[in-house]
Amino acid sequence: MAVVTKRRQRKSEKTELDPVPVQAPRHIIEDVYPSLNGGRFPVKRIVNQPVDVWADIFGDGTDVIEAVLVVSRPGGGGEQVIPLRYHENDRWQASFIPEKPGRYSFRIEAWADPFLTWQRDLRKRIEAAQDVALELQEGQGMLERAGLEPVSDAERLLSSEIAVKMRRAQSHGPRAVSADFPLLVERERAACGAWYEIMARSQGKDPTRGATFDDCIARLPDIAAMGFDVVYLLPIHPIGETARKGRNNSLTSESGDPGSPYAIGAAAGGHDAIHPELGTLEDFRRFVAACRKHGMEVALDFAIQCSLDHPWLREHPDWFRKRPDGSIRYAENPPKKYEDIVNVDFHCAGAPDLWRALRDVVLFWVEQGVRIFRVDNPHTKPFPFWEWMIAEVHQVAPDTIFLSEAFTRPKVMKALAKLGFSQSYTYFTWRLSKQDFREYLTELTRYPEREFFRPNFFVTTPDILPFHLQGGEPWAFKSRFALAATLSSNYGIYNGFELLEHEPVPGKEEYLNSEKYEYKARDWDKPGNIKPYITQLNKLRRENPALQQTNDLRFAQIDHERVIGFIKESSDRANAVAVAISLEDGAVKEFWFHFGDMTVGPDDDRRHVAAIENLVTGERHRLEWGGIRLRIDPEQDPMLIFRCLP
């Protein structure tokens, strides 16, 4: 008997210790959109464009639910409160327009509104011709308890004016509050841009010496005339002498060899210095200003590696790893060796100072007017560093854009994008067939990738001359350019692409006599160049907002295995473009472009495509049976591009 009493006593004590959740929120908020990993990472949006927020909101009983979207603005800009609207099936929606770049967050709050519930029920009773005397007294009591003057007239009690006053005055009881969801809002250039990559020292006319920033400035009218938005510079810093690479990546250099620009650091300085041959810091600022004058901006290469002559090796030897014999460990990616550079140790004893020094390098160039950085091999550095460093830079300059150059495993590339990189290199370069492109673009534009991963399609780079361009056929260069410039809103080419440069190291996807290891001078108007083609397509990109975004992409049915077709539509639905591009060979191709059930136009007035207008020739064609017969001669132009007319 005593044992039973003790058990009852313990049970009673436990009950008293557990709080009874009578004041817990009665509503559930779930399936919030947009969000990544439950709010762990920010989704990405563009300034001055609507941000749509959706959530499932429901509770017990039948009380009227009120819900608001609370947006926290960056930089202590306060909060914006926006009512959510009921859509259907317990789904609610609201939207807001961020007016400046920065790191926002939003949350959702929901509660039961007793007065709105009372108003709703009173209307039903009046419609049913019931006696509502007691209900009117109840309503007056609610007004009194809220500190408002009583109203005896039923019509006024049911007015929206009284409802608004009560919303402000009455006590609503416990609110359900969602998690805070981060949102990274960036400027338009993060979403759309045409990049032109240059080796600064190769922009002059003398192949025996390096060019200066004045030579680079002289090239800007030509680059701007082709329609590029971003001039991306390979590293412009002093280059080390020790273990300097020779021509064609030789391990030994000869007198006069300039070395690889990625062997950063010499007696003249490190990551915050200019190579003396190029000029001074003031010359660089003039270059930045000249780009701006031509409607372009500068992107700098941020490569975290040091030559053996970098000042940091002398000033901070603890930032670098040593081998068992005490010698410094140079960079390796077995079996590859990079004898002219060494890597910093992100987890060394002085790591906090190292991390701050790298952040300060970026901020130094921000002070010089640079707002775009292409980051070399970020996947070989710690994820926490990038998340911290990008956030630190955004506190100072929220309009800064970071491009991740990570040709690695897809999940790693996506993780870097989640951590804050604005754009990402992709595997576009190695996609060849129609099926390749359909699968890859479907992956990049699906949910959730579309919320954080912005692809930048580089056709070539200083390190990559793909096999499919090594024949030098103009149609192949045009086809690859057209694919990059129309499939993705961000794309890039490496200088010399417009001249059809294609001589490879035999058996490799690398340039022979690469300017990474020698001086080079070019005739930028060399006969046979495709500059007019590039200029024309960049013009079409600027004239058609549908081409300035990536996610709204629908593939069309094409009855030819070596022709790809798709439709892109602008975010405001005012512009729709259809594109057909020849793939893989230069043969003439005839095919049926089938639009099927595809519709275009405003959300409230979607219509089937009735006709198309050739954006190059201006010719118009009406569709028959939902499609049109077309012909492409790649030797003339491997692309057909049309405006869709509903």
Side-chain angles (χ1 to χ4, degrees), residues 195-206:
W195 292 50
Y196 186 79
E197 180 176 5
I198 70 172
M199 177 76 76
R201 71 188 183 198
S202 296
Q203 305 308 303
K205 299 180 180 179
D206 186 347

Side-chain angles (χ1 to χ4, degrees), residues 570-633:
S570 60
S571 58
D572 63 1
R573 305 298 197 189
N575 178 241
V577 170
V579 182
I581 301 175
S582 174
L583 307 173
E584 301 187 52
D585 63 46
V588 174
K589 300 174 179 67
E590 293 187 358
F591 56 93
W592 179 261
F593 193 118
H594 188 61
F595 288 82
D597 292 331
M598 290 187 183
T599 57
V600 297
D603 290 334
D604 59 353
D605 188 24
R606 303 288 287 173
R607 300 186 182 185
H608 292 97
V609 179
I612 54 176
E613 177 186 358
N614 190 304
L615 291 175
V616 176
T617 66
E619 296 175 293
R620 288 195 176 191
H621 309 275
R622 292 199 62 82
L623 303 189
E624 297 181 359
W625 304 103
I628 187 171
R629 197 74 182 168
L630 297 171
R631 181 179 186 273
I632 285 182
D633 181 354

